[in-house]
Amino acid sequence: MGDFDFSVIFDNLPFLFKGMQTTLLLTAVAMFGGIVLGTLLALARMSSITVLSVVATSYINFFRSLPLILVIFWFYFLVPLALGRPVGGLYSVLVAFTLFEAAYYAEIIRAGISSVRSGQAAAARALGMSYTQSMRFIVLPQAFRAMIPILLTQGIVLFQDTSLVYVVGLKDFLVSAELIANREQRLIEMFSFVALVYLAICFSASQGVKFLERRMKR
Amino acid sequence: MISFDNVNKFYGDFQVLRDCSTHVKAKEVVVVCGPSGSGKSTLIKCANGLEPFQSGTITVNDVSVGDKNTNLNQLRSRIGMVFQNFELFPHLSVLQNICIAQEMVLKRSKQESTERAFALLERVGLSNQAEKFPAQLSGGQQQRVAIARGLAMDPVVMLFDEPTSALDPEMINEVLDVMVKLAQEGMTMMVVTHEMGFAKRVADRVIFMDQGQIVEDEKTDVFFSNPKSDRAKDFLSKILNH
């Protein structure tokens, strides 16, 4: 006790970096996929076509009622079954996170669309624009502009949640660090380092969001 | 040009329009007035299908608005509409506001739509504001841009839904002047407004609505000098006596 050796961190930086790449890849894919799918879900939920609205609402309520860790497990076993071949942890986790996040993004985006005055869509339609055109060029750009801070905040939460992939043994940043910590018997050093990295990334990201919010208010 | 025949509209159990019938001829300027909640805005919003109606028929340029086979987008592109709250697109510049539907709906080239936009901005007296965003303009300027945006589609008729109600008093005239000019040039117009001075000056006819019904539909001078119904008399005495 008492003799900390932080060189273990520097010696294993390439391995840790690879873990961070997995974490970032997962965050980026789930965020992008979640926003695209979430937008479609939000539009479907707000649609006047009952079937669409019911399906989208059910989807959103279903995923929002489940713990994320269960969804990760579920897809880990389900996706290989559906495809009839093993797909590996990464792909099942990418699918699980994207589908899960889409439900949360859908609700954020729905609120964003509702915040755009209904007269905007009416003005677009009155000019002869189709529903798709009025959404794509008039309503959604305004909605997304208003939503950027909250979408990014959700992204920060997602970034932290990706650490849950340890349950299927995927080597993200946290799992990589844990492997080294156990091998080298340097638990305190490694976990402190991991905490610091998560803190630095999340804190600076949320500061960035705050800055953006202030700038948009002006 | 526009025909309303026995139009009925409900919001749930509440009847907003009762058996409304009137015909607007080409080049005619018709003012629609009446107390708030009388259904006048709803009536003109039915004319371009922004509001659905339950029974009766509306035809614009011989095309039936309520018909399921009608290409509503195509029809709407020929009906200009000006809203009470302007509804310019805040994320687009003045120029883009006027060009976007020309390019997307009428498939005009960028050059053609830009030329058309500048000609119209000139006409409404705003040719030096093309690159600005709506939030940088006064209410009166925004409404004039909105009129230009509607005219850019070469509409066969222009609908105005209380175009000056959201404006500060000193800006009302700059918008009315544009509308008067438009009327004098022979545009077919249906205007929901409380501006009785405008009605007296350019309207061929005045429609007075109350509780979802068209109560009077008269030539302008007849309506003002000799309104038949008590409701119209009452309305006019309230709106003109100060």
Side-chain angles (χ1 to χ4, degrees):
Chain A
M1 278 299 284
D3 56 330
F4 293 124
D5 180 6
F6 286 95
S7 66
V8 61
I9 297 161
F10 302 105
D11 295 345
N12 291 291
L13 267 185
F15 186 67
L16 289 169
F17 188 69
K18 231 184 137 216
M20 182 50 87
Q21 280 182 321
T22 305
T23 296
L24 289 176
L25 173 76
L26 196 49
T27 308
V29 169
M31 217 175 141
F32 180 76
I35 289 175
V36 171
L37 187 57
T39 305
L40 297 177
L41 281 168
L43 290 175
R45 180 162 189 180
M46 296 171 90
S47 161
S48 54
I49 303 166
T50 320
V51 184
L52 271 181
S53 167
V54 167
V55 169
T57 307
S58 315
Y59 177 99
I60 292 164
N61 289 337
F62 179 71
F63 276 99
R64 278 163 59 99
S65 311
L66 294 176
L68 175 54
I69 201 159
L70 180 68
V71 178
I72 296 170
F73 259 136
W74 204 44
F75 274 91
Y76 186 64
F77 296 111
L78 193 88
V79 172
L81 268 183
L83 292 178
R85 60 183 172 84
V87 290
L90 182 63
Y91 287 105
S92 82
V93 156
L94 283 174
V95 172
F97 268 87
T98 302
L99 296 184
F100 186 82
E101 287 302 316
Y104 282 84
Y105 277 121
E107 286 298 271
I108 295 173
I109 292 161
R110 186 167 70 106
I113 293 172
S114 310
S115 76
V116 178
R117 270 214 317 250
S118 64
Q120 287 286 304
R125 301 307 301 276
L127 286 164
M129 290 165 87
S130 67
Y131 169 81
T132 315
Q133 286 172 332
S134 79
M135 272 296 159
R136 163 81 182 78
F137 296 101
I138 305 301
V139 177
L140 286 179
Q142 293 182 56
F144 272 103
R145 195 163 295 194
M147 283 184 306
I148 286 171
I150 187 159
L151 290 176
L152 290 175
T153 303
Q154 177 70 18
I156 295 171
V157 175
L158 165 64
F159 174 71
Q160 294 164 352
D161 285 350
T162 56
S163 57
L164 286 175
V165 298
Y166 82 89
V167 296
V168 295
L170 198 66
K171 288 199 203 89
D172 75 331
F173 183 56
L174 180 62
V175 170
S176 305
E178 193 199 356
L179 286 172
I180 296 164
N182 282 321
R183 195 182 67 206
E184 312 269 341
Q185 284 302 301
R186 291 289 170 192
L187 295 167
I188 293 174
E189 290 89 336
M190 281 315 292
F191 284 125
S192 305
F193 175 68
V194 168
L196 211 65
V197 170
Y198 272 108
L199 185 79
I201 292 176
C202 292
F203 184 72
S204 49
S206 61
Q207 288 303 309
V209 172
K210 269 194 195 139
F211 173 74
L212 211 70
E213 259 181 323
R214 271 200 307 273
R215 254 192 47 167
M216 283 167 62
K217 278 211 184 89
R218 272 194 311 201
Chain B
M1 184 63 75
I2 310 183
S3 295
F4 297 83
D5 288 293
N6 307 102
V7 175
N8 287 289
K9 178 178 171 61
F10 298 83
Y11 286 125
D13 287 339
F14 181 69
Q15 189 161 7
V16 222
L17 295 178
R18 294 166 194 270
D19 221 17
C20 293
S21 300
T22 189
H23 303 270
V24 180
K25 295 193 282 285
K27 301 197 171 189
E28 203 174 21
V29 177
V30 174
V31 160
V32 185
C33 64
S36 55
S38 58
K40 50 200 193 302
S41 288
T42 309
L43 183 75
I44 67 164
K45 281 180 181 163
C46 284
N48 65 354
L50 279 185
E51 293 276 0
F53 49 95
Q54 278 73 35
S55 70
T57 52
I58 301 177
T59 61
V60 178
N61 229 3
D62 298 324
V63 179
S64 171
V65 177
D67 192 331
K68 280 193 171 55
N69 298 320
T70 297
N71 182 341
L72 257 189
N73 293 336
Q74 197 182 358
L75 181 65
R76 283 181 182 137
S77 71
R78 307 301 311 281
I79 305 173
M81 177 130 196
V82 174
F83 295 82
Q84 184 174 355
N85 294 313
F86 329 135
E87 301 299 352
L88 292 181
F89 307 131
H91 60 302
L92 301 178
S93 71
V94 165
L95 185 62
Q96 289 168 323
N97 260 281
I98 304 176
C99 288
I100 186 167
Q102 291 189 68
E103 288 163 22
M104 247 169 229
V105 180
L106 303 181
K107 310 288 178 209
R108 286 183 183 155
S109 71
K110 196 168 178 69
Q111 193 198 348
E112 193 185 357
S113 67
T114 306
E115 276 168 17
R116 185 93 179 91
F118 272 107
L120 286 163
L121 280 174
E122 177 94 55
R123 204 161 138 195
V124 299
L126 294 169
S127 43
N128 51 351
Q129 314 281 353
E131 298 308 323
K132 287 201 177 153
F133 282 83
Q136 296 170 292
L137 302 180
S138 73
Q141 290 172 325
Q142 289 190 49
Q143 195 61 300
R144 285 187 280 153
V145 172
I147 294 172
R149 179 175 70 178
L151 291 175
M153 307 298 283
D154 295 325
V156 292
V157 53
M158 285 287 284
L159 307 173
F160 294 82
D161 183 14
E162 304 206 29
T164 57
S165 299
L167 292 174
D168 291 335
E170 74 267 26
M171 292 169 185
I172 291 178
N173 280 332
E174 63 188 69
V175 172
L176 289 181
D177 287 345
V178 170
M179 291 168 62
V180 168
K181 217 162 70 182
L182 206 54
Q184 287 164 348
E185 286 163 10
M187 175 60 75
T188 311
M189 293 161 66
M190 257 188 113
V191 186
V192 174
T193 186
H194 295 295
E195 296 294 332
M196 291 302 120
F198 171 81
K200 283 179 181 167
R201 231 168 116 196
V202 294
D204 298 299
R205 253 187 322 131
V206 178
I207 291 174
F208 174 75
M209 290 184 73
D210 191 25
Q211 294 176 352
Q213 277 177 313
I214 294 180
V215 180
E216 307 226 1
D217 186 348
E218 292 289 352
K219 287 212 170 335
T220 305
D221 51 341
V222 177
F223 176 77
F224 283 109
S225 60
N226 192 17
K228 286 198 292 276
S229 66
D230 289 340
R231 284 186 279 181
K233 278 179 200 159
D234 185 46
F235 176 79
L236 281 174
S237 73
K238 277 178 189 150
I239 207 164
L240 293 176
N241 279 358
H242 56 81

